[in-house]
């Protein structure tokens, strides 16, 4: 699907971060991050909890001061600029709606702070309509469901037309179905508003569903920044491959490299045998590397050439079964139409052309 | 509420009600008795004489009104001084919160009489403040209003009762979700606006508790006005003390005590009524979480 590429930014950058560092106590939450956020795109910071993604968002919003490094928004350095004077707004994980104000007053909050801004009603109404909450202006936040509260939080954050919207795991408190609905609405809203969204999540499904660009973080650093398709097919490291999708990771050693102008492939010696596959940047012959195999690139097979494996676990996934099988000391994940009993000996066919060789560390 | 244990409060509630209602009932009975001045004894002859005195002699209304004003002024000042202190305390690291608490309560550990005489030393004509001002050449003659004036009374009432205001507001500030303050700032509110539009409304319950406590304590104080207020130091409490003791007019003392109580009750009710009309207070008392 070239759709993601089509939405990739053709415009300039709205935000650049250089050398961001933030420590809490002994730990470094953010450890030297360079990040460019393009205008009009949906950028997601993805990573496990504690990887520093929320800290970056909070530094952009102005709630945290970087220990080192710079942030430039719209060509203006953000150093020393308090949150109220930054042209960004935040949608909080906990919604953070004002409990003593009605929905209308919550959304009008930023507008009523500015003297001489005129009647906020039309803009509040437009913002509430944009999130399908036009009829709820007179209610109080506690009278709304979680999903409705989150819609109001979004309306409140967009009503003053920020240059950039920051969203901190806004859907994580909602049930799966509501999350799916709101994902579609958020994506739709971002396209209509045409402003940059910076979204923080630990949920890779959510990142894929929403993003033009996904920035994968681990231990305070950026591990990879790419569109979702690239991220899935060509993870820059074993960490990315493992964090995104149910990959099988097989360690090995590169015995040969072949580079052309368009691509690079490597020959990897693994416990499963010799595999030739596309290779990530920065790897050389002789280096230890990791073979990434997606479940859909393995098939249960009876061919004599198939890898011999033994079923360990079977997980029902609704449409199919995820089989975890052991082969030559490696754990392989494969989808199957039928349930297989643990202990069963099976053959596995690997689509070598679609496997990928990546960095062990990162 | 599935885990309601309201009945557990009954024994204590009963004790409180009896401990309050019985003496008040006694006061009510006394207030309609008469004093036999010859026998110097109170006799159970029913009479509205004492209540008539309370209603007709303006000195009683004046004293009660003065107590109410003192209470309101002290409570108001305590709120103004208390908010910055409470906000600062809420931002301290945990250990320093404990230290601040102890420091805040230190005045309460010393006896009231000790504090009052300490203030006399500080504020007197030859006192610390005047000596310093004189030494600096700012004044030629000692400032007389520093001691034995309404200024002194209210300064010391404020000092004595401030901890109750600060503690109440502080707890309330601690309970405000910091993300709400961040949200306000994020939406363009300067720190002052974040205070007036979010922190103040959501801490009105703490403010109210502080106002009730300081109002009652200051309006009912007798020692501070009489020992530091000079000629302005007359209070209904001192009058009641006098009537029960020296004058031996228990009916009038009882009537005055009840009248004072009724007025203070009225004020507190009015304050509570106003408070519950505030949306911030309702949001907190209803336990709204978003």
């Amino acid at each position: 699907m070239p759709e993601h590429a089509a939405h990739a930014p053709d415009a300039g950058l709205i935000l650049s971060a250089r050398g961001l560092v933030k420590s809490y106590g002994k730990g470094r939450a953010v450890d030297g991050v360079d990040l460019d956020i393009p205008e009009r795109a949906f950028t997601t910071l993805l990573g496990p909890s504690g990887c520093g993604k929320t800290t970056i968002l909070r530094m952009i919003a102005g709630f945290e001061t970087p220990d080192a490094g710079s942030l430039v928004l719209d060509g203006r350095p953000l150093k020393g600029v308090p949150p109220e004077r930054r042209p960004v707004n935040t949608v909080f994980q906990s919604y953070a709606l004002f409990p003593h104000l009605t929905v209308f007053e919550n959304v009008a909050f930023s507008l009523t702070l500015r003297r001489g801004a005129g009647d906020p009603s039309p803009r509040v109404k437009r913002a509430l309509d944009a999130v399908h909450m036009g009829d709820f202006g007179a209610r109080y936040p506690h009278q709304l469901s979680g999903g409705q509260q989150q819609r109001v939080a979004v309306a409140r954050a967009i009503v003053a037309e920020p240059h950039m919207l920051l969203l901190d795991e806004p859907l994580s408190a909602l049930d799966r179905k509501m999350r799916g609905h709101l994902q579609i609405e958020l994506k739709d809203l971002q396209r209509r508003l045409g402003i940059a969204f910076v979204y923080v999540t630990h949920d890779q499904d959510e990142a894929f569903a929403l993003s033009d660009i996904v920035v994968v973080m681990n231990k305070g650093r950026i591990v990879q920044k790419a569109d979702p398709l690239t991220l899935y097919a060509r993870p820059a490291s074993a960490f990315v491959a493992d964090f995104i999708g149910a990959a099988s990771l097989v360690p090995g050693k590169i015995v040969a490299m072949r580079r052309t102008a368009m691509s690079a492939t490597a020959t990897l010696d693994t416990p499963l045998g010799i595999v030739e596959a596309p290779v990530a940047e920065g790897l050389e012959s002789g280096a230890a590397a990791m073979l990434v195999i997606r479940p859909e690139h393995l098939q249960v097979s009876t061919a004599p050439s198939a890898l011999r494996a033994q079923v360990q676990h079977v997980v029902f996934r609704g449409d199919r079964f995820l089989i975890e099988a052991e082969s030559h000391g490696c754990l392989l994940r494969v989808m199957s139409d039928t349930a297989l009993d643990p202990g069963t000996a099976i053959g596995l066919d690997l689509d070598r052309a679609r496997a990928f060789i990546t960095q062990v560390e990162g | 509420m599935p885990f309601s244990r309201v009945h557990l409060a009954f024994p204590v509630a009963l004790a409180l009600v009896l401990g309050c209602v019985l003496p008040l009932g006694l006061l009510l009975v006394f207030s309609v008795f008469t004093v036999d001045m010859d026998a110097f004894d109170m006799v159970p002859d029913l009479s509205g004489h004492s209540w008539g005195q309370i209603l007709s002699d303006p000195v009683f209304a004046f004293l009660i009104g003065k107590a109410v004003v003192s209470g309101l002024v002290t409570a108001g000042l305590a709120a103004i001084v208390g908010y910055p202190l409470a906000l600062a305390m809420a931002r301290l690291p945990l250990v320093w919160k404990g230290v601040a608490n102890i420091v805040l309560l230190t005045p309460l550990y010393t006896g009231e009489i000790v504090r009052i005489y300490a203030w006399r030393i500080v504020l007197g004509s030859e006192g610390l403040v005047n000596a310093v001002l004189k030494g600096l050449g700012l004044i030629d003659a000692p400032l007389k209003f520093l001691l034995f004036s309404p200024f002194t009374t209210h300064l010391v009432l404020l000092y004595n009762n401030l901890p109750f205001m600060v503690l109440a507001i502080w707890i309330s500030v601690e309970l405000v979700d910091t993300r709400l303050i961040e949200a306000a700032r994020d939406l363009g509110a300067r720190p002052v606006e974040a205070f007036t539009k979010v922190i103040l409304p959501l801490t009105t319950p703490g403010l109210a508790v502080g106002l009730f406590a300081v109002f009652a304590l200051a309006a009912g104080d007798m020692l501070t006005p009489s020992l530091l207020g000079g000629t302005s130091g007359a209070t209904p409490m001192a009058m009641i003390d006098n009537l029960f003791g020296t004058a031996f007019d228990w009916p009038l003392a009882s009537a005055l005590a009840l009248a004072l109580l009724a007025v203070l009750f009225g004020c507190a009710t009015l304050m509570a009524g106003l408070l519950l009309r505030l949306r911030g207070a309702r949001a907190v008392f209803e336990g709204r979480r978003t």
Side-chain angles (χ1 to χ4, degrees), chain B residues 37-108:
Chain B
M37 275 302 167
D38 299 329
F40 217 56
D41 198 5
M42 188 165 63
V43 287
D45 290 341
L46 293 190
S47 146
H49 180 68
S50 300
W51 284 106
Q53 269 180 286
I54 295 288
L55 293 174
S56 60
D57 191 339
V59 74
F60 298 110
F62 171 75
L63 285 177
I64 291 173
K66 197 160 153 284
V68 168
V69 170
S70 263
L72 290 177
V73 166
T74 310
L77 289 174
I80 293 166
V81 178
Y83 252 106
L85 276 173
L87 290 173
M89 271 178 76
R91 277 173 202 165
L92 288 176
L94 193 60
V95 176
W96 287 103
K97 282 180 186 176
V99 173
N101 237 311
I102 293 166
V103 171
L104 184 70
L105 293 176
T106 308
L108 300 183

Side-chain angles (χ1 to χ4, degrees), chain B residues 203-218:
Chain B
T203 52
T204 39
L207 173 64
V209 169
L211 286 174
F212 285 134
V214 175
F215 171 72
L217 288 168

Side-chain angles (χ1 to χ4, degrees), chain A residues 110-126:
Chain A
S110 57
L111 303 178
T112 51
L113 289 168
R114 296 177 197 159
R115 271 161 205 273
D119 180 16
S121 302
R123 293 173 73 183
V124 172
K125 190 176 176 337
R126 239 180 296 145

Side-chain angles (χ1 to χ4, degrees), chain A residues 56 61 108 142 158 176 184 200 204 267 279 290 302 323 326:
Chain A
I56 290 181
H142 72 281
I158 62 171
R176 198 182 167 81
I184 294 167
V200 161
Q204 57 108 350
T267 309
V279 66
M290 198 70 89
T302 51
I323 310 287
E326 191 250 296

Side-chain angles (χ1 to χ4, degrees), chain A residues 48 216-219 222-224 230-252 268 279-281 283 288-294 333 356-362:
Chain A
V216 184
M217 293 192 61
N218 189 28
K219 294 178 183 160
I222 292 177
V223 192
Q224 189 173 11
T230 307
L231 211 60
Y232 189 75
R234 304 174 71 93
S237 72
F239 170 80
V240 178
D242 191 42
F243 194 71
I244 290 161
S248 312
L249 297 172
V250 179
L268 192 72
V279 66
E281 279 172 39
L283 282 168
M290 198 70 89
L291 184 68
V292 180
I293 306 166
R294 296 295 178 190
R333 296 190 174 98
F356 188 69
I357 298 166
T358 193
Q359 304 262 12
V360 178
E361 301 283 333

Side-chain angles (χ1 to χ4, degrees), chain A residues 58 61 63 82-84 88-90 92 94 96-102 105 109-110 112-113 140-142 149 156, chain B residues 177 179-191 193-194 197-198 201-202 279-280 282-283 286 288-290:
Chain A
R58 290 176 59 80
F63 304 137
E84 64 269 23
V88 299
N89 285 129
T90 306
F92 293 85
S94 55
L97 296 177
F98 304 120
H100 59 299
L101 301 180
T102 62
E105 289 164 330
F109 189 90
S110 57
T112 51
L113 289 168
Y140 280 91
H142 72 281
Q149 289 186 27
R156 186 178 69 171
Chain B
D177 189 342
R179 283 166 297 194
L180 292 179
I181 301 163
E182 285 183 352
R185 299 290 301 278
D186 187 67
L187 292 165
R190 286 171 290 150
E193 291 162 330
K197 286 176 172 269
V198 178
L202 294 178
R279 293 192 298 169
R282 287 222 302 270
E286 286 175 9
R288 290 182 201 165
R289 293 279 177 274
T290 58

